[in-house]
């Protein structure tokens, strides 16, 4: 296939347009994972350690939200941010910020649900020891999050995987504007529909490579940490 | 000191109107068949289980904070930290000033013979080593009363001896040790006084020598003879 050769040429030649797209994709997805972690980890830990009426229903809904359809989330954020929407005055529609918001909404439930499960399992194991050491609630949460940190990396990776792979939400709220809100996934969708397969394939290769690279880095960090702390 | 302590699980009395005073001196050993209430008694004495009725007093006061009490569970949970990190955590929880912690860690790990394993992840230690680390963690609280729940259950003879040596050393320092065991030999080796429990009731509480030479109750005679108490 001649398309393959051109795709590799594009990647290897360091095409500036391609790298701007890669940069924005990473910026949006990593920002979304960061914000989603800031929301999802404390929320998941809180849900793991508190008991209230309706808690089980919240867990079921949260677990279900791991499978939120990106396009629907995109639509909801679009309606919020559109000129006539409640947050229209922020003027964020069709900006990278809107894409970060949409992906944060997609990723936060994943991180929260996986954090909840991880922390709850560890809590079952630690409960009596911490009670015997007279550990208060705030320190208990900090201890559990810290001791679960290697497992929580997996939750963050799952979130990043979701953000890096999705196209539905960011294409709706970002608009796939060249040089401004065009990311790898939106570009692949567009170039494929236009028939520019070399660029689409090149972007696909870059995207998959980056996802593998980030997972490898996280894996290495996890292994190193476990050697030290078990 | 437990006064008329009673713990009900539904209709079943796990501890049944049990009164017991732990006085200073050599270890008090709790014996009795499975389900006799040994673990429940230790947890209640630690203040980890609410009594259905009766009370636990501590130096004459009721429900004091468990400041100078520590407990070693039968299967202690290892925090996902190094051996030294586990002890450091317990020291911090006990309010030991930061500046004193390093010296105390060294001292406690030496006491339980784990000074060479300070940097090793706690969960990579063997069963006997984990038990000794948990003992160091309990001693980090500088307890006046140390409660041990089957500290050598499922350990080989060498590991059992290591635990017993530490128990003797700790008791010789004036710490009151109260421990449960299945092992009559261990009771003979360590006990100053013996408490025989059966079905949540205290059958006998006598000096160890007297308990083994002249048991007062039928059940004690059977238990010492190795017959099954049902």
């Amino acid at each position: 296939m001649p398309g393959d050769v051109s795709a590799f040429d594009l990647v290897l030649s360091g095409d500036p347009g391609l790298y701007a797209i890669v940069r924005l994709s990473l910026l949006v997805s990593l920002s979304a994972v960061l914000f989603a972690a800031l929301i999802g980890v404390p929320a998941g830990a809180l849900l793991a350690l508190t008991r209230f009426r309706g808690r089980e229903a919240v867990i079921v809904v949260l677990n279900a939200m791991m499978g939120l359809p990106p396009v629907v989330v995109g639509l909801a954020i679009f309606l919020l941010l559109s000129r006539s929407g409640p947050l229209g005055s922020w003027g964020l529609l069709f900006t990278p910020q809107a894409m970060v918001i949409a992906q944060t909404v997609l990723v936060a439930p994943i991180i929260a649900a996986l954090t909840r499960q991880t922390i709850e399992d560890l809590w079952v194991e630690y409960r009596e020891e911490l009670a015997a050491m007279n550990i208060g609630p705030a320190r208990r949460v900090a201890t559990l999050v810290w001791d679960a940190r290697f497992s929580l990396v997996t939750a963050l990776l799952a979130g990043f995987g979701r953000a890096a792979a999705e196209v539905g939400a960011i294409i709706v709220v970002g608009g796939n504007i060249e040089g401004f809100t065009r990311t790898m996934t939106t570009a692949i969708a567009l170039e494929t529909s236009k028939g520019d397969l070399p660029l689409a394939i090149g972007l696909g290769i870059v995207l998959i490579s980056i996802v593998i690279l980030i997972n490898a880095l996280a894996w290495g960090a996890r292994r190193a940490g476990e050697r030290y702390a078990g | 000191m437990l006064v008329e302590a009673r713990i009900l699980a539904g209709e079943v009395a796990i501890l049944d109107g049990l009164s017991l005073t732990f006085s200073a001196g050599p270890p008090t050993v709790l014996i009795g068949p499975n389900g006799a209430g040994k673990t429940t008694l230790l947890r209640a004495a630690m203040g980890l289980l609410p009594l259905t009725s009766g009370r636990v007093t501590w130096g004459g006061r009721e429900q004091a904070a468990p400041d100078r009490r520590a407990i070693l569970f039968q299967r202690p949970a290892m925090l996902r930290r190094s051996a030294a990190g586990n002890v450091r955590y317990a020291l911090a929880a006990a309010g030991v000033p930061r500046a004193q912690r390093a010296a105390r860690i060294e001292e406690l790990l030496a006491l339980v013979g784990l000074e060479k394993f300070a940097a090793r992840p706690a969960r990579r230690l063997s069963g006997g080593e984990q038990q000794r680390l948990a003992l160091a963690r309990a001693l980090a609280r500088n307890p006046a009363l140390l409660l041990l729940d089957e500290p050598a259950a499922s350990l080989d003879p060498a590991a059992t001896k290591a635990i017993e040596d530490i128990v003797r050393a700790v008791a010789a320092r004036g710490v009151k040790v109260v421990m449960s065991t299945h092992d009559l030999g261990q009771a003979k080796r360590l006990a100053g006084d013996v408490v025989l429990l059966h079905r949540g009731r205290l059958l006998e509480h006598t000096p160890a020598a007297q308990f083994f030479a002249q048991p007062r109750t039928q059940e004690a005679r059977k238990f010492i003879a190795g017959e099954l108490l049902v």
Side-chain angles (χ1 to χ4, degrees), chain A residues 9 24 32 52 58 61 69 71 78 85 96 113-114 125 135 146 155 158 171 175 204 217 223 228:
Chain A
D9 284 349
L24 179 69
F52 53 90
V58 172
V61 170
V71 161
F78 180 94
L114 296 178
E125 192 185 326
I135 303 293
W146 176 251
I171 209 164
L217 288 175
R223 287 296 295 270
Y228 166 69

Side-chain angles (χ1 to χ4, degrees), chain A:
Chain A
M1 287 202 299
D4 284 10
V5 178
S6 324
F8 277 113
D9 284 349
L10 263 177
V11 173
L12 294 176
S13 66
D15 181 72
L18 188 144
Y19 280 94
I21 290 174
V22 171
R23 213 180 123 266
L24 179 69
S25 299
L26 283 179
L27 198 63
V28 167
S29 293
L30 290 174
S31 305
V33 170
L34 175 70
F35 291 125
L38 291 176
I39 299 164
V41 171
L46 198 68
L47 189 55
L49 299 174
T50 52
R51 296 291 177 271
F52 53 90
R53 189 190 280 276
R55 174 175 177 273
E56 309 237 321
V58 172
I59 290 173
V60 170
V61 170
L62 184 62
N63 287 344
M65 281 171 70
M66 289 202 283
L68 278 179
V71 161
V72 177
V73 169
L75 175 63
I77 302 295
F78 180 94
L79 292 174
L80 280 176
L81 296 181
S82 67
R83 288 237 177 274
S84 53
L87 305 178
S89 57
W90 294 6
L92 289 179
L93 197 60
F94 303 131
T95 66
Q97 289 91 319
M99 296 153 76
V100 171
I101 293 172
Q103 290 204 334
T104 300
V105 172
L106 275 175
V107 172
I110 296 176
I111 294 179
L114 296 178
T115 299
R116 199 273 311 162
Q117 187 68 57
T118 302
I119 297 286
E120 203 165 313
D121 290 346
L122 195 60
W123 175 227
V124 169
E125 192 185 326
Y126 277 17
R127 165 180 269 156
E128 286 203 305
E129 297 288 354
L130 298 193
M133 288 192 253
N134 214 14
I135 303 293
R139 189 170 205 158
R140 179 190 312 159
V141 174
T143 301
L144 290 166
V145 170
W146 176 251
D147 281 27
R149 61 198 180 280
F150 302 120
S151 306
L152 293 182
V153 167
T154 307
L156 298 191
L157 286 178
F160 175 73
R162 168 77 147 172
E166 76 89 18
V167 57
I170 49 175
I171 209 164
V172 171
V173 301
N176 195 20
I177 302 163
E178 188 172 8
F180 185 51
T181 61
R182 181 161 300 174
T183 67
M184 286 185 273
T185 53
T186 60
I188 290 169
L190 177 70
E191 300 306 331
T192 304
S193 66
K194 278 181 8 191
D196 186 355
L197 295 183
L199 183 56
I201 294 170
L203 285 166
I205 292 168
V206 173
L207 178 55
I208 290 171
S209 305
I210 287 172
V211 170
I212 291 174
L213 179 71
I214 287 184
N215 274 274
L217 288 175
W219 178 257
R222 183 179 170 153
R223 287 296 295 270
E226 279 179 338
R227 253 197 303 285
Y228 166 69

